[in-house]
Amino acid sequence: MKSLQTKIFLFFVLLLLLVQSIALWTLIKGNNAQEQQEISNRLTTAKTIFTEQFNSRRDYLAAFAETAAKDYGIKDVFEDDTRSLLFALNNHRKRINADLAMAISANGNITAQLQVSHLDNAKTKVQKGSELGSQFKHTDWLESQEKSHLYMLDGTLYQLSLSPLSVGTSTIGWLAFGFEINQTLATHFLEITRLEVDFILNQNNQWLLIASSNPDADINFAKNIVNGQTPEQYIAIGELITEFDDQQFGLAMYGLRADIVKLLQEQWWQFLILTFITLLLSLTSAYIIAASITKPIKRLVKQAKMIARGDYQQKIELKDSSELGQLADEFNLMQQAVLTREQEITHRANHDPLTELPNRNILVKTLNQCISNKTSFQLFHLNLSRLKDVNETLGHDVGDWLIQRTADRLKKLSQFTLLCHLGGDEFILLFEKKEKHSITELVKNINTALEAHCDYGGINLQLQVRIGISSFPEHSNVDKTLLQMADTALQNARKNNKNYQCYDKSLDVNSVERLNLINDLKHAISDNQLELHYQPKLDLKTNVVTHAEALVRWYHPTLGMIPPDSFIHIAEQTGQINSLTRWVVATAFSQSATWRKDNIDINVAVNISAENLKEPDFYEFICNTLTANKVPANKVTLEVTESAVVDNPESAIMLLQRFKDTGIKISIDDYGTGYSSLAQLKQLPVHELKIDKSFVQHLHEDEDDRIIVRSTIELAHNMGLSVVSEGIEDDFALRWLAKQGCELGQGYFISRPKPTNDFTAWIKKQEVLSVEKG
């Protein structure tokens, strides 16, 4: 007992026995909990695997259907003979090995249908579907936004995705592709999860067993599992998916509890045997270690202390072939491994794992060093364009590959002293002004390095970047500020669709002012900061003001009057345009009612945004506001821009028709600057066209503008529409437009927009002058 060897050995024996006893007791106590946890984990994992793969099939079908619908080849044969369409449709089907493919015409007829039959010899047969030539039985799906549907055909259930086939703004039909939900799919999940899988469907309150990996599957058993009723001898989990219209799709995954418990018991005995062997080996090892550990132990302790201090240069050399000598060798190897890992950790902390380029840490250190050395430099902040489109279309693997190719090409730019990858699609190039290179020349070199196409699997991908540039010491002497300035310049370049932008103080001012306006606009209505001005519209035949346009003005408490161009776009982007438009409508209609009581009979026009046309209750709001103010519908004009109609023509035309049926006047604002075609204009339920001021302001000296305006007036009159010309700023334009038959005129020559009281006084004065002239 007095020897160190004996004491060490007994210490190890007691310690091992104590540890093993505690571990064994803990494992015994936790065996039941482990069994339940294992079952729960297995069921949860099985359900997760099914959900992810089922959703993956859905997304893959949806993406492929959308891609196929954009194929010009299938559009060319869509309305040709059925044979050509079937051939083109089958080519697309084979790309994803779909089990069902359909083409549906615009009137809902199934013009092409291919169905894959799975034969007993594991082969497949493609044949025409039984519904070919018949009416598609789920026409409501054609306008639905749902990505996935369940489709029953000849007793077979398919997971189906549809995509509209469009030519221009017209939908000429739909394409649909589907995967069969069958025994093969159920067996696939059985192989992954080791649980039997049943697929059931509730159709018209009747449950059907669609497919199962279990030859003895029972519909009532599967239905009970889906409803959460599991027999005691089974482990099971069910899922009821109700997102498919009026159908309920059920999944039942189950297995015998005895099989799981048996497996756990086998693992338990294996663990006991392993524990016994480990204990025996540990005791033997303890005895051997105790016999030889005393002599070199001090050297090992000393070496450990040196490693703790970070000294990895010294090594232990023991002329000993025993385990302790090997331990010394392993200690040396461990020392080298620690050093290697530290170097790897340091490298990883300072480099991007995708491109192996220096990251932000290295960049900040380099910037601080350049600033400390007062070395003039420029930061080029690069943003790779359209990477999001590549990720969404081809996948993130292709996006990562594209980032790596960008890094490879940027590495070849020898003028720059540092290239960093900040992550995602952002790079930083550091140029020290030791050589004379203009910014234009450097940007050109960057674009030249990236201009060659990248070929990925036969797809040519073009590398393009936006660049923001900041400089030291011109802009700042702080690393973070310089990075922020370069980023601000980059955002401005992206916003204005420019290749590059050098930082300027005004960019920060605009950003701060815009941010303040976004925050302040939320309180503009509640704090009564908004006001309506009215600009008259003159009847060019009678020279009498018959109409007025309501124009909103924002009187900011600190910034003063803010023009509409500065905040209308913000309101549309931040979702505040709906409340803003409703305030304008309510205020304008109320003022119209006040004017009528004062015997001022005038039509009031208000501007409507594209977002307003998407509101489900906007029509009811307009009608209720008219009724509340007792304003006749024919005394109100809604001015809608072309782009507002182009965004969603079908719903917009339907809503505008309801307004027209009510008696409200509809005007197309800023005509000539949008994208509507004559065919679309013909379909719009409007009363008048409003010619944009850009065509009117220079009528006196621009013959082309006169030709455009004259043609527009003739076109409108031929279509039964009246015309309003805005931007009248001289007597020539007023008289010329009147001569061309333009009904109404608006512009600074007639009157600028006026506040309500000033406009009321002005209109009364005009009426008096009109009476006196009469």
Side-chain angles (χ1 to χ4, degrees):
M1 291 295 295
K2 292 182 179 181
S3 69
L4 180 60
Q5 175 181 341
T6 305
K7 291 180 179 179
I8 293 174
F9 176 71
L10 290 177
F11 170 76
F12 273 109
V13 169
L14 294 175
L15 182 61
L16 287 170
L17 289 176
L18 177 62
V19 170
Q20 293 291 356
S21 299
I22 294 174
L24 185 61
W25 178 82
T26 303
L27 288 172
I28 293 174
K29 294 289 291 184
N31 184 44
N32 292 334
Q34 179 188 5
E35 177 183 319
Q36 192 61 36
Q37 183 67 32
E38 178 68 18
I39 292 173
S40 177
N41 289 343
R42 186 165 183 178
L43 293 177
T44 303
T45 301
K47 182 178 178 181
T48 301
I49 291 172
F50 169 79
T51 302
E52 290 180 352
Q53 294 204 10
F54 193 81
N55 290 342
S56 177
R57 279 168 48 116
R58 175 198 64 194
D59 296 339
Y60 185 54
L61 278 173
F64 180 78
E66 182 178 354
T67 302
K70 295 178 181 178
D71 183 18
Y72 289 103
I74 202 165
K75 292 180 181 180
D76 289 340
V77 302
F78 189 78
E79 296 179 347
D80 288 352
D81 60 287
T82 303
R83 179 181 179 84
S84 299
L85 181 56
L86 286 172
F87 181 82
L89 191 64
N90 189 47
N91 285 339
H92 281 282
R93 181 203 66 78
K94 290 191 292 185
R95 293 180 183 177
I96 61 170
N97 200 23
D99 299 307
L100 179 65
M102 290 193 295
I104 304 169
S105 66
N107 58 11
N109 286 331
I110 299 176
T111 57
Q113 190 178 62
L114 294 173
Q115 188 176 8
V116 177
S117 300
H118 295 272
L119 306 178
D120 293 337
N121 56 2
K123 294 184 178 180
T124 58
K125 178 182 179 182
V126 181
Q127 58 188 8
K128 294 181 181 179
S130 60
E131 295 179 333
L132 181 62
S134 63
Q135 185 74 15
F136 184 61
K137 57 188 176 184
H138 298 288
T139 55
D140 55 318
W141 291 1
L142 303 180
E143 302 299 330
S144 173
Q145 299 298 320
E146 294 292 335
K147 290 185 177 181
S148 182
H149 304 276
L150 291 180
Y151 190 79
M152 184 71 76
L153 176 60
D154 298 336
T156 301
L157 186 65
Y158 297 90
Q159 188 178 1
L160 189 74
S161 285
L162 297 99
S163 181
L165 193 66
S166 301
V167 176
T169 58
S170 301
T171 300
I172 64 172
W174 290 263
L175 294 181
F177 296 89
F179 288 137
E180 184 178 343
I181 298 177
N182 54 16
Q183 182 181 359
T184 302
L185 181 61
T187 304
H188 170 68
F189 284 116
L190 169 63
E191 294 172 352
I192 296 175
T193 63
R194 292 183 295 171
L195 293 175
E196 299 288 350
V197 178
D198 293 348
F199 296 122
I200 61 175
L201 182 70
N202 187 355
Q203 197 171 41
N204 299 323
N205 293 323
Q206 182 178 2
W207 285 98
L208 303 174
L209 181 63
I210 301 301
S212 176
S213 62
N214 183 5
D216 301 321
D218 179 73
I219 181 63
N220 292 322
F221 180 77
K223 183 171 65 174
N224 289 337
I225 291 176
V226 171
N227 292 329
Q229 301 173 5
T230 304
E232 185 176 354
Q233 64 272 29
Y234 285 89
I235 64 167
I237 190 168
E239 176 76 1
L240 186 62
I241 303 175
T242 61
E243 66 185 44
F244 299 105
D245 307 293
D246 58 348
Q247 302 177 93
Q248 291 181 318
F249 178 67
L251 163 75
M253 308 179 79
Y254 54 91
L256 287 172
R257 179 181 293 271
D259 294 340
I260 305 300
V261 173
K262 180 180 179 181
L263 179 61
L264 291 176
Q265 292 296 334
E266 291 176 356
Q267 294 175 349
W268 173 252
W269 282 109
Q270 292 173 1
F271 177 79
L272 289 179
I273 295 173
L274 181 61
T275 300
F276 176 78
I277 294 174
T278 302
L279 180 59
L280 182 61
L281 293 176
S282 298
L283 291 174
T284 303
S285 300
Y287 178 80
I288 296 173
I289 293 172
S292 58
I293 200 171
T294 55
K295 183 177 180 180
I297 192 169
K298 291 183 179 181
R299 295 185 61 184
L300 291 174
V301 171
K302 181 179 178 181
Q303 186 67 16
K305 291 180 178 180
M306 294 176 65
I307 293 176
R309 291 196 300 266
D311 184 359
Y312 301 102
Q313 303 304 318
Q314 304 297 326
K315 293 185 178 181
I316 299 176
E317 295 184 3
L318 290 179
K319 297 179 180 180
D320 191 342
S321 59
S322 66
E323 288 83 355
L324 194 56
Q326 296 176 12
L327 178 60
D329 294 337
E330 293 298 325
F331 202 90
N332 291 329
L333 292 175
M334 180 191 70
Q335 175 178 307
Q336 185 60 39
V338 170
L339 177 60
T340 302
R341 281 196 293 272
E342 282 194 358
Q343 292 173 343
E344 175 63 25
I345 292 171
T346 302
H347 177 82
R348 186 55 54 220
N350 294 314
H351 291 77
D352 174 70
L354 179 61
T355 61
E356 290 299 329
L357 290 176
N359 61 15
R360 186 182 294 271
N361 294 334
I362 294 294
L363 175 62
V364 171
K365 292 178 182 178
T366 305
L367 292 182
N368 287 330
Q369 184 177 358
C370 290
I371 293 172
S372 299
N373 297 335
K374 297 184 179 180
T375 302
S376 298
F377 63 85
Q378 291 171 333
L379 277 181
F380 288 71
H381 191 169
L382 280 60
N383 175 253
L384 189 58
S385 302
R386 296 186 297 276
L387 182 64
K388 181 180 179 182
D389 295 337
V390 173
N391 287 334
E392 292 178 351
T393 305
L394 302 177
H396 286 271
D397 290 343
V398 181
D400 291 344
W401 178 86
L402 205 60
I403 291 173
Q404 291 171 335
R405 299 292 78 73
T406 304
D408 293 340
R409 296 187 181 186
L410 293 176
K411 290 176 185 177
K412 299 177 182 179
L413 295 171
S414 58
Q415 304 97 324
F416 297 93
T417 56
L418 179 65
L419 169 62
C420 294
H421 184 206
L422 301 187
D425 55 1
E426 297 188 25
F427 294 86
I428 291 286
L429 284 167
L430 177 65
F431 173 73
E432 296 183 7
K433 302 177 185 178
K434 297 178 181 178
E435 301 179 9
K436 292 184 178 180
H437 290 282
S438 66
I439 290 179
T440 303
E441 181 183 354
L442 293 171
V443 170
K444 182 180 179 180
N445 291 340
I446 294 173
N447 291 330
T448 301
L450 299 176
E451 67 182 359
H453 290 280
C454 291
D455 190 331
Y456 185 89
I459 301 176
N460 284 327
L461 302 173
Q462 186 175 6
L463 298 177
Q464 291 182 333
V465 293
R466 307 283 185 193
I467 306 173
I469 306 169
S470 63
S471 301
F472 170 82
E474 291 88 344
H475 296 145
S476 175
N477 58 1
V478 181
D479 60 332
K480 293 182 180 178
T481 306
L482 285 167
L483 287 170
Q484 180 181 352
M485 289 175 174
D487 183 68
T488 299
L490 172 62
Q491 299 309 318
N492 184 268
R494 294 175 61 184
K495 177 182 177 182
N496 296 299
N497 198 25
K498 298 168 64 176
N499 181 222
Y500 73 94
Q501 173 68 55
C502 292
Y503 172 78
D504 186 84
K505 289 183 179 180
S506 61
L507 301 181
D508 276 333
V509 172
N510 291 336
S511 298
V512 173
E513 286 185 356
R514 177 179 173 83
L515 183 60
N516 289 334
L517 287 180
I518 292 174
N519 295 329
D520 295 345
L521 186 57
K522 297 178 181 179
H523 309 288
I525 297 178
S526 59
D527 294 347
N528 296 320
Q529 297 174 12
L530 300 180
E531 180 180 316
L532 284 187
H533 287 199
Y534 297 88
Q535 186 174 26
K537 298 180 183 179
L538 182 68
D539 188 322
L540 298 184
K541 291 183 180 179
T542 63
N543 285 328
V544 175
V545 175
T546 58
H547 295 66
E549 180 179 0
L551 302 169
V552 64
R553 298 291 186 266
W554 180 11
Y555 287 91
H556 194 279
T558 58
L559 301 177
M561 202 283 285
I562 300 176
D565 291 343
S566 298
F567 68 88
I568 293 296
H569 185 60
I570 293 176
E572 290 178 334
Q573 287 185 328
T574 57
Q576 302 180 63
I577 190 64
N578 293 336
S579 59
L580 178 61
T581 300
R582 291 185 179 231
W583 180 89
V584 171
V585 169
T587 305
F589 288 7
S590 175
Q591 183 59 47
S592 177
T594 302
W595 281 336
R596 291 182 60 79
K597 292 179 183 178
D598 204 14
N599 294 321
I600 298 177
D601 187 12
I602 194 169
N603 181 291
V604 177
V606 293
N607 291 279
I608 303 302
S609 167
E611 296 302 317
N612 300 132
L613 298 180
K614 300 175 184 178
E615 292 185 80
D617 62 339
F618 187 65
Y619 173 79
E620 288 74 15
F621 166 74
I622 294 291
C623 294
N624 293 338
T625 309
L626 283 174
T627 304
N629 291 281
K630 299 180 180 179
V631 176
N634 62 354
K635 291 299 179 181
V636 171
T637 298
L638 301 182
E639 295 190 3
V640 185
T641 60
E642 291 179 89
S643 59
V645 179
V646 171
D647 288 344
N648 194 353
E650 293 185 2
S651 61
I653 290 173
M654 186 181 302
L655 179 59
L656 294 178
Q657 184 63 53
R658 294 183 69 188
F659 282 127
K660 184 176 182 180
D661 295 340
T662 306
I664 296 174
K665 305 294 183 183
I666 306 297
S667 175
I668 293 295
D669 194 11
D670 298 336
Y671 181 76
T673 62
Y675 306 97
S676 61
S677 64
L678 293 177
Q680 187 180 54
L681 180 62
K682 182 180 179 180
Q683 299 175 1
L684 296 179
V686 300
H687 299 85
E688 68 181 22
L689 295 184
K690 191 171 185 181
I691 302 176
D692 185 70
K693 62 184 179 182
S694 62
F695 300 105
V696 179
Q697 291 174 328
H698 306 290
L699 286 175
H700 187 273
E701 64 270 13
D702 196 324
E703 175 64 24
D704 291 338
D705 283 350
R706 292 197 292 272
I707 294 174
I708 293 173
V709 173
R710 184 187 299 114
S711 301
T712 302
I713 294 174
E714 292 177 357
L715 171 65
H717 288 167
N718 290 335
M719 297 178 67
L721 306 177
S722 60
V723 180
V724 180
S725 291
E726 62 178 0
I728 299 176
E729 298 183 358
D730 54 48
D731 183 64
F732 174 84
L734 182 68
R735 295 180 182 276
W736 188 87
L737 288 167
K739 184 178 179 180
Q740 303 306 315
C742 180
E743 282 77 10
L744 296 175
Q746 179 181 358
Y748 287 174
F749 184 74
I750 300 170
S751 174
R752 289 177 176 270
K754 298 177 179 293
T756 303
N757 293 336
D758 294 348
F759 180 83
T760 302
W762 184 87
I763 198 67
K764 287 183 178 180
K765 181 179 179 181
Q766 297 302 311
E767 290 180 352
V768 171
L769 293 176
S770 177
V771 171
E772 291 177 352
K773 291 180 180 179

